């Protein structure tokens, strides 16, 4: 007897069109507002404030870890956060107007932290007894290294060298780079969230409810909940954390728990002035050390590679076409200008594309350039009004980590989505993809474990700057995976049309030149008719 339920009829065979794979999309559909279509002003302002709130996490966490080791207190920490915010606002405006023109937030970068720490721990500062003098001397040393390191991105970007490299990039080699630009930051997710699980876990649960489940249950309604889910969830959990703090829940807890959970432990509000405008050379004249400058240049190159992957993810979430190589090169040049501003102003950290804000674009489905420019206005405004900005900067780190869990995952998924252009039935594709991703996770794991156990990296010489030039790049998942995938893809390629199709090159060919696709003019052309004087190729 034929199989099937009792007395039931066999299901009808699927139609032929239902058996077809999903069509390839060079622009992401279902985005509410793309790069050139701004939301209404009230909504745009709220979305801009949400971007500001998200980028605050990295802006606060990096100075919080660096300043105490530099000899600074709460006042120096508040000033460093203000400076980072101010410079991030300027860099975001420059990038959105004259760089890639993508809705990318340019903020502090974790890539620069290890090399910055090496400068902080340099032996020449050990004999300085006055904490204030020690802090300023170290900051001037960091400034000098950043100023020199910025020249690498400026030269490589504006000269067009990076344009020639990116032209060899295919969707296949871009997948590991973009995917691990997000997924490679897993250490900043749940491990940081778990430092105060009673705050971090409610935040990630509420974020999922507001952004995913309420819109799923309220189909056809306005997208208020998922579009402003960060504001809703952070405010609720922030109030909850403050009630725990004033209620004495952490009165007898250990110092680490109090630092992670309490809303009054940051010391930023007390240390911040009411009004203060950051200015260049506020810590004094920068000092230069050749070894540290070379080490910072190496990290600048790492940041350059990682940022290229993040720019591609941002373009995807903004429903733009893949950015032409000349646009990416132009963006890297302006990012170098951003690193230069960090050095001149004394921000204590380099500038790079904010991965978390790229993920926020996907969460809100709003990729408008205007929204990010409004967020830059918030950065500058609250960096000058120190006390008000310090209030928002006092959000506990586990709440920020809960946001990271979703945003970094979105960026990782954005990288994996590029596989739609590739032939996954090709063994060459499987090898390059699998090997580069695996080694991109395995090599940094070895370097990080070795460093955690021995307190120094696998490359350990008397020259700390040389150690950083080798150890830090190989500790970056996105850098290792991206470089390895790029090398394998280029060296194992052929001019055969079948191989080009397997790599996805035929889909990206029309975006390799600025004028090959008319949409590039719409998304990436410079304002004020500047393309006449600074043409893209």
């Amino acid at each position: 007897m034929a199989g099937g339920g009792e007395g039931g009829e066999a299901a009808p065979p699927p139609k032929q069109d239902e058996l077809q794979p999903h069509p390839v999309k060079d622009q992401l559909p279902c985005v509410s507002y793309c790069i050139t279509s701004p939301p209404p002003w009230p909504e745009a302002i709220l979305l801009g404030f949400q971007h500001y709130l998200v980028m605050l996490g990295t802006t606060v966490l990096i100075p919080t870890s660096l300043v105490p080791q530099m000899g600074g207190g709460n006042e120096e920490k508040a000033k460093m956060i203000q400076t980072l915010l101010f410079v991030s606002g300027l860099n975001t405006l420059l990038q959105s107007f004259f760089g890639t023109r993508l809705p990318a937030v340019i903020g502090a970068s974790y890539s620069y932290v290890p090399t910055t720490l090496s400068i902080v721990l340099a032996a020449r500062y050990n004999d300085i007894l006055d904490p204030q003098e020690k802090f300023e001397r170290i900051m001037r040393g960091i400034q000098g290294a950043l100023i020199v390191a910025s020249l690498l991105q400026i030269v490589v970007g504006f000269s067009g060298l990076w344009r020639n490299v990116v032209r060899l990039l295919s969707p296949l080699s871009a997948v590991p780079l973009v995917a691990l630009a997000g997924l490679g930051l897993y250490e900043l997710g749940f491990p940081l969230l778990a430092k105060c699980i009673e705050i971090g876990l409610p935040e990630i649960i509420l974020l999922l409810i507001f952004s995913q489940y309420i819109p799923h249950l309220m189909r056809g309604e306005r997208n208020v909940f998922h579009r402003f889910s960060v504001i809703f969830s952070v405010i609720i959990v922030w109030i909850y954390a403050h009630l725990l703090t004033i209620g004495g829940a952490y009165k007898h807890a250990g110092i680490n728990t109090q630092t992670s959970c309490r809303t009054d432990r940051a010391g930023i509000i007390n240390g911040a002035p009411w009004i203060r405008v950051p200015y260049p050379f506020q810590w004094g004249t920068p000092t230069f050390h050749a070894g540290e400058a070379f080490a910072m240049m190496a990290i600048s190159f790492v940041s350059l590679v990682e940022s290229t992957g993040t720019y591609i993810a941002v373009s995807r979430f903004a429903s733009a076409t893949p950015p032409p190589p000349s646009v990416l090169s132009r963006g890297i040049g302006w990012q170098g200008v951003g690193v230069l501003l960090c050095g001149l102003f004394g921000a204590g950290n380099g500038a790079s594309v904010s991965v978390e804000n790229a993920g926020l674009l996907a969460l809100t489905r709003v990729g408008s350039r205007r929204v990010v420019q409004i967020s830059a206005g918030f950065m500058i405004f609250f960096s000058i009004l120190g006390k008000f900005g310090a209030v928002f900067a006092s959000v506990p780190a586990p709440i920020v980590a809960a946001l990271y869990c979703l945003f970094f995952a979105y960026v990782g998924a954005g990288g994996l989505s590029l596989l739609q252009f590739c032939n996954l039935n090709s063994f060459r594709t499987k090898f390059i993809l699998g090997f580069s991703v695996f080694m991109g996770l395995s090599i940094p794991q070895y370097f990080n474990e070795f460093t955690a156990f021995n307190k120094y990296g696998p490359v350990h010489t008397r020259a700390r700057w040389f150690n950083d030039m080798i150890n830090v790049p190989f500790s970056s998942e996105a850098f290792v995976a991206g470089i390895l995938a790029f090398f394998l893809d280029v060296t194992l390629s052929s001019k055969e049309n079948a191989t080009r199709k397997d790599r996805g090159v035929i889909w990206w060919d029309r975006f390799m030149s600025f004028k090959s696709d008319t949409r590039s003019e719409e998304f990436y052309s410079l304002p004020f008719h500047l393309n006449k004087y600074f043409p893209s190729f």
Side-chain angles (χ1 to χ4, degrees):
M1 188 173 70
E6 288 185 22
E9 297 181 2
K15 298 177 182 179
Q16 186 62 32
D17 58 348
E18 293 177 348
L19 297 175
Q20 297 299 318
H22 294 288
V24 173
K25 301 284 187 181
D26 50 26
Q27 285 182 259
L28 187 66
C30 302
V31 173
S32 302
Y33 298 98
C34 74
I35 185 172
T36 56
S37 58
W41 277 104
E43 189 173 349
I45 291 172
L46 276 177
L47 287 166
F49 177 76
Q50 195 167 235
H51 271 281
Y52 160 74
L53 202 60
V54 167
M55 67 84 59
L56 267 180
T58 305
T59 307
V60 173
L61 288 175
I62 290 178
T64 299
S65 65
L66 290 178
V67 170
Q69 301 182 68
M70 296 168 66
N74 290 335
E75 184 178 345
E76 287 75 21
K77 180 165 63 175
K79 288 181 179 179
M80 184 172 169
I81 291 171
Q82 282 182 276
T83 305
L84 260 178
L85 264 180
F86 186 81
V87 175
S88 296
L90 293 179
N91 289 337
T92 301
L93 288 176
L94 290 173
Q95 190 65 235
S96 64
F97 276 108
F98 307 113
T100 58
R101 305 225 65 207
L102 288 166
V105 171
I106 309 299
S109 172
Y110 288 104
S111 300
Y112 290 90
V113 171
T115 305
T116 304
L117 272 176
S118 290
I119 298 175
V120 172
L121 301 175
R124 64 181 183 276
Y125 301 119
N126 292 340
D127 296 332
I128 304 175
L129 300 179
D130 181 26
Q132 178 70 24
E133 181 186 356
K134 182 178 181 180
F135 175 84
E136 292 181 356
R137 289 273 297 275
I138 292 174
M139 180 61 80
R140 294 201 294 269
I142 297 172
Q143 286 182 255
L146 286 173
I147 290 171
V148 176
S150 68
L151 299 178
L152 174 73
Q153 294 189 14
I154 291 174
V155 171
V156 169
F158 288 137
S159 68
L161 287 174
W162 196 240
R163 176 188 65 213
N164 296 330
V165 174
V166 174
R167 278 183 175 156
L168 301 175
L169 192 69
S170 72
L172 176 58
S173 55
V175 169
L177 173 63
V178 181
L180 291 194
L183 301 180
L185 299 172
Y186 58 87
E187 292 180 353
L188 300 173
F190 199 83
L192 184 58
L193 179 154
K195 290 186 176 181
C196 190
I197 197 74
E198 62 269 29
I199 291 177
L201 197 57
E203 170 59 33
I204 195 170
I205 291 173
L206 282 176
L207 185 63
L208 291 174
I209 290 173
F210 281 122
S211 66
Q212 307 298 325
Y213 286 95
I214 292 181
H216 176 71
L217 296 173
M218 298 176 62
R219 294 185 180 182
E221 300 292 327
R222 293 193 62 179
N223 301 319
V224 174
F225 288 101
H226 85 73
R227 194 158 292 169
F228 302 107
S229 56
V230 171
I231 293 178
F232 291 146
S233 60
V234 167
I235 288 177
I236 293 172
V237 179
W238 196 4
I239 293 173
Y240 162 66
H242 188 63
L243 291 176
L244 289 178
T245 300
I246 62 177
Y250 306 112
K251 193 173 183 179
H252 303 291
I255 184 64
N256 291 334
T257 301
Q258 293 200 32
T259 302
S260 299
C261 300
R262 294 182 68 100
T263 57
D264 58 356
R265 294 289 292 183
I268 303 172
I269 298 176
N270 293 332
W274 282 101
I275 297 177
R276 180 179 178 273
V277 180
Y279 55 91
F281 309 118
Q282 58 187 324
W283 312 108
T285 305
T287 58
F288 298 89
H289 183 278
E292 292 170 355
F294 279 117
M296 196 67 83
M297 287 182 74
I299 308 314
S300 179
F301 181 69
V302 173
S303 174
L304 180 156
V305 173
E306 294 174 343
S307 295
T308 300
T310 310
Y311 282 130
I312 295 173
V314 170
S315 69
R316 190 78 186 154
F317 295 141
S319 193
T321 54
S326 58
V327 171
L328 284 172
S329 190
R330 187 177 72 198
I332 292 301
W334 279 104
Q335 186 170 296
V337 173
V339 177
L340 176 63
L341 290 177
C342 289
L344 295 176
F345 278 81
N349 188 260
S352 182
V353 191
S354 170
V355 180
E356 54 268 33
N357 287 88
L360 181 60
L361 297 175
L363 180 72
T364 60
R365 301 182 191 178
V366 176
S368 169
R369 186 187 295 131
R370 179 182 293 174
V371 168
V372 168
Q373 291 169 342
I374 291 172
S375 76
F378 278 115
M379 295 175 211
I380 296 173
F381 178 77
F382 284 116
S383 69
I384 295 174
L385 298 179
K387 290 287 186 186
F388 294 99
V391 172
F392 299 111
S394 63
V395 176
I399 295 180
V400 175
L403 301 178
Y404 287 171
C405 290
L406 197 56
F407 298 151
F408 294 160
Y410 261 127
V411 174
L416 296 176
S417 71
L418 299 177
L419 288 172
Q420 65 180 306
F421 302 109
C422 308
N423 179 14
L424 292 178
N425 292 318
S426 163
F427 277 100
R428 178 185 176 280
T429 301
K430 295 179 191 296
F431 163 69
I432 294 175
L433 178 65
F435 186 69
S436 59
V437 170
F438 179 83
M439 296 305 288
L441 294 171
S442 187
I443 292 176
Q445 180 68 16
Y446 164 71
F447 273 77
N448 292 330
E449 281 189 1
F450 191 100
T451 304
F453 183 78
N454 297 286
K455 306 304 180 187
Y456 54 82
V459 178
H460 182 57
T461 66
R462 292 183 178 180
R464 188 189 290 268
W465 60 270
F466 178 77
N467 302 339
D468 287 343
M469 290 184 67
I470 307 299
N471 291 328
V472 177
F474 284 100
S475 299
S476 167
E477 288 84 356
F479 178 80
V480 173
I483 292 294
L484 188 57
F486 181 83
F487 174 79
L488 293 174
D489 187 42
V490 170
T491 55
L492 294 176
S493 65
S494 67
K495 295 183 179 180
E496 296 178 4
N497 193 55
T499 304
R500 287 170 51 82
K501 188 174 182 180
D502 289 347
R503 299 168 61 206
V505 173
I506 61 170
W507 293 101
W508 275 15
D509 268 346
R510 62 184 181 275
F511 305 115
M512 288 296 106
S513 174
F514 185 82
K515 296 182 179 179
S516 298
D517 192 285
T518 55
R519 290 170 293 180
S520 296
E521 182 81 20
E522 176 188 356
F523 297 137
Y524 302 114
S525 61
L526 293 171
F528 316 121
H529 304 290
L530 290 175
N531 267 22
K532 295 180 181 178
Y533 310 102
F534 305 99
S536 299
F537 302 100

